Amino acid sequence: MKYSLKLGRPFGIKISIHWTFLLLIAWVVIIDVQQGLNFQQIMLSVLFILTLFVCVVLHELGHSLAAIKFGSEVRSITLLPIGGMANIRKIPEKPMQELIMTVAGLAVNVVIALILLGILLTRGGLDLEQMDFKTITPRNFLTMLMFVNLFVVFFNLIPAFPMDGGRILRALFSMRMNRLKATRWAKNTGQFFAVAFVMAGLFLNPFLVVIGVFVFIGASAEYNLMKLGESIKAYSASDAMITDYMELAPEETLEKAAETLVHHHENGFVVAANGRIEGILTSNDIIKGLSNNDRGTTVREIMNADYETVAPDASLQEVFQMIQTRKIAIIPIVKNGRIKGIIDKDNIHQFIMVKNAMNE
Ligand SMILES: [Zn+2]
């Protein structure tokens, strides 16, 4: 993901913070200032958010390490203000494995909460009556951290995608029926809860309404994605790739790239020299590049050198999921370091429509 700060690479997984995370910190500071907190108190609440997000990274690492154990590939974990996002390729499809992978993340927060409880008890108990839960103090820091970790677990147990509870539900259904049908049942259950949330929220708390709407949309998104993916299960990347794609040379100027974009209407270009790919330049990069840079800037300076590729025999369903879930503009199809073609969002949709029309 672009505009993110890289923190490290444990187990080969790149961990980074997305820039919008700074907005969350800024928001916390503004609220604290409005409440009249002093500098020390504000620093403490920022420290609390950072510590909480360490717990979120550990949660995602829990999912990731279990996934790796089952043969998945995990490239990165990105921290967003709404939580962590692990970029897992080939999520295990065996129900038991998906179940273990999902529970592993939740178990991490349970373990953290238990460790905190242990520390608090050896320090002389929880002392809940003396607590002021409105502001973070040195005294309630660990107790608050414990409760928030438990909240993370309960929130994630909401039985709907994209929450962990949706995955758990699908894994359980998958043990008795095929995965697509299981996903449909998981979707229906999630939406039932979503409607209940909205109704309850109208009387209790508007926040529940927001969660309900979010859950309702999330539930169908996962199912629709899967249904479309299912229709191209039998195909590989090479079946759908564009072979007469445009390439840009790394030394070409931004102005030239913009001109090529206008005349060829592509979602993005492969940047290559001597048949070897060096990066990706999306149409968005070009447009953003023109407003921030000199027209003479070279393609090399603004291209993404950190891009995904797939082999020609990779499953088309996997490519489709990569494009959908991670909003990737184009994916080069590469064999032995040589580029064979590209797949982008529009052409994979066309492929699906063509195949569906042929089967009707
Ligand atoms: Zn999770």
Side-chain angles (χ1 to χ4, degrees), residues 59-60 63 156 164:
H59 170 108
E60 295 301 328
H63 290 313
N156 267 296
D164 290 339

Side-chain angles (χ1 to χ4, degrees), residues 1-8 13-25 46 49-54 56-57 76-85:
M1 211 172 257
K2 276 175 123 190
Y3 308 114
S4 52
L5 175 70
K6 285 156 195 74
L7 296 182
I13 303 168
K14 186 174 83 191
I15 297 188
S16 56
I17 296 186
H18 194 253
W19 72 269
T20 48
F21 193 76
L22 291 175
L23 295 179
L24 176 72
I25 301 284
V46 170
I49 296 288
L50 295 177
T51 316
L52 173 61
F53 273 78
V54 170
V56 172
V57 169
S76 61
I77 292 173
T78 308
L79 272 180
L80 299 161
I82 48 162
M85 196 175 71

Side-chain angles (χ1 to χ4, degrees), residues 54-228:
V54 170
C55 298
V56 172
V57 169
L58 293 174
H59 170 108
E60 295 301 328
L61 270 178
H63 290 313
S64 304
L65 293 182
I68 289 172
K69 197 164 165 32
F70 295 132
S72 302
E73 199 186 308
V74 183
R75 293 243 171 148
S76 61
I77 292 173
T78 308
L79 272 180
L80 299 161
I82 48 162
M85 196 175 71
N87 171 359
I88 302 177
R89 230 164 129 167
K90 293 188 201 131
I91 287 178
E93 291 199 359
K94 287 195 187 130
M96 201 55 196
Q97 295 184 348
E98 187 178 29
L99 186 65
I100 292 172
M101 181 199 90
T102 310
V103 171
L106 295 170
V108 168
N109 298 101
V110 173
V111 169
I112 293 173
L114 286 176
I115 291 173
L116 290 171
L117 181 65
I119 295 173
L120 289 165
L121 288 179
T122 52
R123 275 193 185 174
L126 283 176
D127 194 15
L128 289 180
E129 279 157 34
Q130 303 298 317
M131 289 280 178
D132 163 23
F133 283 101
K134 290 202 185 78
T135 43
I136 306 288
T137 63
R139 207 169 148 203
N140 72 10
F141 194 94
L142 294 183
T143 316
M144 291 287 274
L145 197 59
M146 180 184 79
F147 280 119
V148 176
N149 267 283
L150 290 176
F151 175 77
V152 167
V153 174
F154 286 112
F155 184 75
N156 267 296
L157 280 175
I158 294 174
F161 299 110
M163 257 71 73
D164 290 339
R167 278 191 189 290
I168 292 176
L169 204 60
R170 174 176 54 202
L172 293 176
F173 283 132
S174 301
M175 290 174 184
R176 308 200 149 243
M177 57 188 90
N178 75 45
R179 210 167 131 84
L180 184 63
K181 213 169 161 193
T183 308
R184 193 170 70 224
W185 274 99
K187 174 194 92 134
N188 292 343
T189 315
Q191 290 186 328
F192 173 80
F193 274 91
V195 172
F197 273 40
V198 172
M199 306 246 268
L202 291 177
F203 299 103
L204 301 172
N205 187 340
F207 187 57
L208 274 175
V209 178
V210 176
I211 295 180
V213 171
F214 175 70
V215 164
F216 196 93
I217 297 169
S220 2
E222 177 85 15
Y223 175 66
N224 292 339
L225 190 68
M226 190 158 175
K227 209 168 78 181
L228 280 178

